[in-house]
Amino acid sequence: MTLIEAVRAVCDEAHAVTSALENAASDSIRRGAAGAVEAVLEVERTMHHELERRALVFGGGFVAEPEVFGGELMAWWQAVGPDRTIRRLDPGATGNGYVRSYADIEWFRVPRETGAEHMTGPYIDYLCTDEATLTFTAPFEIDGEFQGVLGADITLDLFERGVGDALEATPGALVLTHEHRVVASADDEVLVQRRLPPTAREQYEISPVPGTALLVAMRR
Amino acid sequence: MELTASIARSAVFAPLADRGRAEVVTARLEEAIVLGILQPGERLPSEARLAERLGVATVTVREALADLRDRSLLTTQRGRGGGSFVTVDEAARAAAVAERIRALSAADAADLGTYFLAIVGTSARIAAEDASPSDLESLSLDLARASFGNEFSARRSLGGFHVAVVALSRSTRLVREQVRLQHADGPMLWASLQDPGEREAAAAAAQRLVDAIAAGDGDLAYREAETAVARAVRWLLAERRRLEAR
């Protein structure tokens, strides 16, 4: 598998979770606050199923638009620890009281504003994973009206594991975001999470990975 | 060399803090109540929920709540809509904060400032060198939504802002350490936020820090963090002297 194919395959794991959530929970989410209890149960069932079979996904679920659901609602499940114990996220406990609302956070705000899928990060996600993370979110809309986001988290550790073999087989290669932030690196001189300086970019042949928001950089 | 090694070795086997778990829970809640993180009239989560969140047994939480009740910091109401409520009044709370400031040593006040700067100053410098347009947008938005109107909202806003700056270092360890610092020492370090003039100054300093990060000026970003925390430490020292003179 080439590095480009490997990056695509890892991102597709997150996209598959979003699709599964959309298939399972659409009908109840569609009913807004009246369907909220059912939607949460369906998201829970789906996330158990997905997290058990997708070892590269850390967590995922549905996050509701507060204006539609009459308040904040995060139905988000995570596979925690080495044995991947599945549990529901308690945003109050992890945000440490410093996050006013998820509504302004990039993974919620951007899909709401653009109506398009979005990848956030790598960033330190102190609301959900408490780790360096990539968050993939897609808007869920009914007749053009935004209801919330469906999505999944892949931590950088899991991402590295996912692309590991293909990355090691490509000496000096990097995986970058559009902002040239390093997501994975086969070059010990280039640190993950930092941005590649403009002067260094000239040394690479940079290609987009189709179907993702990521780029692969090969040494010229 | 041998001496250093043996000191290091003995540190490994030094006794761990052995305060009772209930005492630790009591201290955590008492601190939060006295410093206004938990506000008068607020209902605490249920015993079971508290136990889960704090990672201790329910019986430990029960013991801690009983202790806080005995000291009139909490009351417990039974039945529907019942639970444990924070009852300390504003005068008692202010007196307790003053007592803590008076008990603070000058060395402690300086140390708080240095500790804070080691994390936030370093992070601000990295952020200035490394932040992307989307990072800057998120940080600016965070500050635009902040409210410095009263002591509680200002403390929460400033705390949230500082965690957001530290997150731009992209170090999980620094973020965890900053959160720990803010929970344990933040209310004391930023006691100055009880003063409206200091709240205004803190809001302006936060904006200057964002501007320095946006300008990509790492040295300036570090200095802005340094200036802001130095002001908070000076306020603490002056307040201590003022309370002492009374």
Side-chain angles (χ1 to χ4, degrees), chain B residues 118-211:
Chain B
I119 302 173
V120 176
T122 302
S123 299
R125 185 189 296 278
I126 294 172
E129 288 161 2
D130 195 63
S132 65
S134 62
D135 291 333
L136 286 167
E137 193 184 348
S138 295
L139 189 65
S140 302
L141 199 60
D142 182 76
L143 191 55
R145 298 263 205 272
S147 156
F148 288 81
N150 67 54
E151 181 185 354
F152 300 119
S153 68
R155 185 177 302 139
R156 199 178 155 105
S157 293
L158 195 62
F161 171 71
H162 287 145
V163 172
V165 168
V166 175
L168 293 184
S169 72
R170 287 184 161 72
S171 161
T172 315
R173 285 174 179 78
L174 281 189
V175 171
R176 287 183 193 147
E177 191 59 22
Q178 179 65 19
V179 167
R180 206 207 63 73
L181 180 162
Q182 288 183 186
H183 281 191
D185 306 312
M188 180 76 346
L189 177 56
W190 296 100
S192 56
L193 296 175
Q194 60 186 261
D195 179 334
E198 293 301 311
R199 291 203 287 275
E200 216 169 288
Q207 185 58 56
R208 282 198 308 275
L209 180 52
V210 171
D211 293 344

Side-chain angles (χ1 to χ4, degrees), chain A residues 70-112:
Chain A
E72 298 206 335
L73 171 66
M74 280 189 90
W76 201 268
W77 273 263
Q78 303 176 317
V80 182
D83 53 357
R84 291 179 59 84
T85 308
I86 297 174
R87 65 167 195 223
R88 188 173 178 180
L89 170 73
D90 178 356
T94 44
N96 295 297
Y98 292 120
V99 178
R100 264 186 300 280
S101 158
Y102 56 68
D104 291 335
I105 300 180
E106 186 178 333
W107 50 254
F108 191 83
R109 175 171 53 85
V110 175
R112 184 177 51 188

Side-chain angles (χ1 to χ4, degrees), chain A residues 29-52:
Chain A
I29 295 173
R30 213 169 267 282
R31 297 188 354 248
V37 173
E38 209 172 310
V40 169
L41 288 172
E42 279 161 359
V43 169
E44 178 174 20
R45 257 197 306 274
T46 308
M47 285 315 303
H48 271 270
H49 183 71
E50 295 297 314
L51 289 172
E52 274 158 18

Side-chain angles (χ1 to χ4, degrees), chain A residues 59-163:
Chain A
F62 171 66
V63 183
E65 163 65 53
E67 283 172 26
V68 174
F69 281 78
E72 298 206 335
L73 171 66
M74 280 189 90
W76 201 268
W77 273 263
Q78 303 176 317
V80 182
D83 53 357
R84 291 179 59 84
T85 308
I86 297 174
R87 65 167 195 223
R88 188 173 178 180
L89 170 73
D90 178 356
T94 44
N96 295 297
Y98 292 120
V99 178
R100 264 186 300 280
S101 158
Y102 56 68
D104 291 335
I105 300 180
E106 186 178 333
W107 50 254
F108 191 83
R109 175 171 53 85
V110 175
R112 184 177 51 188
E113 284 171 3
T114 63
E117 288 180 6
H118 182 71
M119 187 197 78
T120 303
Y123 68 115
I124 304 296
D125 173 15
Y126 52 87
L127 182 64
C128 301
T129 65
D130 204 22
E131 281 187 51
T133 304
L134 293 169
T135 300
F136 299 78
T137 41
F140 185 84
E141 295 178 346
I142 298 171
D143 301 329
E145 201 199 337
F146 180 76
Q147 311 292 308
V149 298
L150 298 168
D153 287 323
I154 294 183
T155 61
L156 279 203
D157 295 357
L158 292 171
F159 185 90
E160 185 180 38
R161 199 182 306 164
V163 298

Side-chain angles (χ1 to χ4, degrees), chain B residues 36-123:
Chain B
I37 297 170
L38 296 174
Q39 296 190 31
E42 194 172 332
R43 180 166 68 177
L44 295 185
S46 69
E47 286 179 0
R49 187 105 176 95
L50 272 173
E52 189 192 331
R53 295 274 287 261
L54 294 165
V56 298
T58 312
V59 59
T60 308
V61 168
R62 198 167 300 146
E63 203 180 314
L65 293 182
D67 187 18
L68 293 168
R69 225 168 12 245
D70 289 346
R71 286 187 288 139
S72 308
L73 292 167
L74 290 179
T75 52
T76 299
Q77 291 168 18
R78 302 204 175 278
R80 211 179 144 82
S84 294
F85 296 83
V86 176
T87 44
V88 66
D89 68 15
E90 190 45 40
R93 197 190 69 81
V97 171
E99 189 44 54
R100 273 153 206 261
I101 293 174
R102 208 203 311 254
L104 192 73
S105 74
D108 253 351
D111 183 30
L112 279 178
T114 304
Y115 178 25
F116 176 92
L117 185 61
I119 302 173
V120 176
T122 302
S123 299

